[in-house]
Amino acid sequence: MSELVKIPVTVITGFLGAGKTTLVRHLLQNPQGKRLAVIVNEFGDVGVDGEILRSCALPDCPAENIIELANGCICCTVADDFIPTIGALMALVPRPDHILIETSGLALPKPLLKAFDWPDIRSRITVDGVIAVADAEAVAAGRFAPDPARLQAQRQADDSIDHETPLSEVFEDQIACADLVLLSKSDLAGAGGVAAARAVIAAESPRPLPVIEVLEGVVDPRVILGLGAAAEDDIAARPSHHDTGEDHDHEDFDSVVIDIAEQTDPQALAARIEALAHDRQILRVKGYAAVAGKPMRLLVQAVGARVRVQYDRPWGADEARQGRLVVIAEHDDIDADQIRLALAG
């Protein structure tokens, strides 16, 4: 009978650096007795999130249950990558009780939801819910969502303004598709910032949404898993900027993978990343580094000029102590040689 029960899938979306991977790690470490599987999608050809998540694999979610799709945005490669990957996970023995999908920060969730209507998988899986993770400080600052009133005034004043920025469109589509919003980094935003972020989310959402503040991705898994939204049956209520058939274009963004040598000073590395963000308008840096004399791997996370480093796990005995950083920026700001030089110090 268990083979006849649909496997629930939770889609976790959110802009670059909002805290999606941190949330998924928390869920993996607190599975509530469920056998979990994870699909993690990276922007660009090579990612690091899958490796980061596999480092916290548990019996309820072994490493083989964590699959990384690092060859393109999942919303644009549904037929080639997503459908076969879902099939592979459903063929696992034992079968997962729940699947988590962490989308790229630049992915639109609606094309992914439409894939769940494919005959091959519709009878076997259901979208339990779409979770949007939003950075409270960034949203409050208006970096990823425009002020609707101000935008309308601009449009009225200038006939040439007939579209919004790619970043705002991605943010708006993610909020419009969500069943629940997790407001991350509320400690950095402060009470006023949280209130402002909540107001932006309410303005962008086509329907009332529950908004929950979280720190370090910590939230009761029972709040996330088990929503029973069946989102694949509710697609019409989740509007998108691309409902008219307009292509979702990623040419505005690019990524580069930088291998870095062993470091002597983690804070010096953080300072170089911060300077790089200021100089070249870097959106996101994520990866890990080796630090001389330290048995632990250094996890590196940066959103713009806000950089965080922390030790996450010991290096394996058969692992090369080689650092790797993925850098994402708007297309014109990506210069691999200049970025490599800046990070080398």
Side-chain angles (χ1 to χ4, degrees):
M1 288 295 294
S2 63
E3 295 299 317
L4 301 178
V5 177
K6 288 186 177 183
I7 299 177
V9 174
T10 296
V11 177
I12 299 174
T13 186
F15 199 74
L16 297 161
K20 299 184 299 297
T21 303
T22 302
L23 172 64
V24 173
R25 288 187 72 175
H26 173 69
L27 295 174
L28 291 182
Q29 293 164 349
N30 300 273
Q32 305 291 300
K34 298 179 184 291
R35 290 191 302 275
L36 299 178
V38 179
I39 299 173
V40 56
N41 178 220
E42 298 271 30
F43 177 75
D45 296 328
V46 179
V48 298
D49 281 352
E51 198 280 331
I52 290 172
L53 292 174
R54 279 189 287 272
S55 71
C56 61
L58 297 169
D60 285 324
C61 186
E64 59 267 24
N65 283 30
I66 302 172
I67 298 178
E68 183 178 53
L69 300 180
N71 59 340
C73 176
I74 194 171
C75 70
C76 303
T77 60
V78 165
D80 293 337
D81 295 319
F82 173 66
I83 299 297
T85 300
I86 282 287
L89 289 179
M90 289 191 293
L92 289 173
V93 179
R95 196 175 75 150
D97 297 319
H98 203 112
I99 298 173
L100 307 175
I101 300 177
E102 178 192 339
T103 70
S104 156
L106 299 175
L108 303 179
K110 191 166 182 177
L112 182 58
L113 290 190
K114 290 180 178 179
F116 286 90
D117 200 36
W118 286 42
D120 287 348
I121 62 175
R122 182 176 176 82
S123 63
R124 296 189 287 168
I125 60 176
T126 181
V127 183
D128 183 65
V130 179
I131 310 299
V133 185
D135 182 322
E137 185 184 36
V139 173
R143 290 197 291 268
F144 308 131
D147 177 0
R150 183 179 179 186
L151 178 62
Q152 185 60 29
Q154 289 176 333
R155 285 177 170 170
Q156 292 174 348
D158 187 345
D159 292 337
S160 69
I161 300 177
D162 60 359
H163 64 279
E164 295 171 288
T165 66
L167 298 187
S168 68
E169 288 187 5
V170 171
F171 175 83
E172 290 160 16
D173 275 24
Q174 291 171 348
I175 294 298
C177 207
D179 296 293
L180 172 68
V181 177
L182 297 183
L183 203 55
S184 66
K185 307 175 186 177
S186 56
D187 55 331
L188 299 177
V194 168
R198 285 180 175 271
V200 170
I201 291 168
E204 298 298 346
S205 174
R207 61 194 185 283
L209 284 179
V211 179
I212 300 173
E213 296 173 38
V214 298
L215 295 176
E216 302 295 336
V218 176
V219 61
D220 190 330
R222 293 172 296 181
V223 175
I224 305 297
L225 309 179
L227 293 179
E232 71 276 14
D233 295 329
D234 190 34
I235 292 178
R238 303 164 191 263
S240 166
H241 283 279
H242 303 275
D243 283 339
T244 59
E246 179 185 352
D247 289 338
H248 172 39
D249 188 2
H250 287 164
E251 291 183 359
D252 293 296
F253 310 99
D254 207 347
S255 66
V256 62
V257 178
I258 305 295
D259 290 327
I260 57 174
E262 190 171 70
Q263 302 292 302
T264 57
D265 183 353
Q267 294 309 316
L269 174 62
R272 292 197 296 274
I273 294 172
E274 181 178 350
L276 178 68
H278 285 300
D279 293 343
R280 304 197 68 84
Q281 301 298 309
I282 300 301
L283 296 172
R284 187 80 167 100
V285 179
K286 174 182 281 192
Y288 46 87
V291 179
K294 300 292 186 182
M296 301 285 286
R297 187 182 69 171
L298 187 74
L299 188 63
V300 179
Q301 305 265 19
V303 182
R306 192 173 68 212
V307 186
R308 179 177 179 181
V309 294
Q310 65 186 91
Y311 294 101
D312 70 332
R313 67 164 175 83
W315 286 96
D318 57 348
E319 241 181 328
R321 290 172 60 91
Q322 173 68 60
R324 169 166 288 186
L325 299 175
V326 176
V327 180
I328 301 174
E330 294 196 48
H331 183 77
D332 292 341
D333 293 312
I334 284 287
D335 183 316
D337 291 337
Q338 291 296 322
I339 291 172
R340 190 174 291 108
L341 183 63
L343 292 177

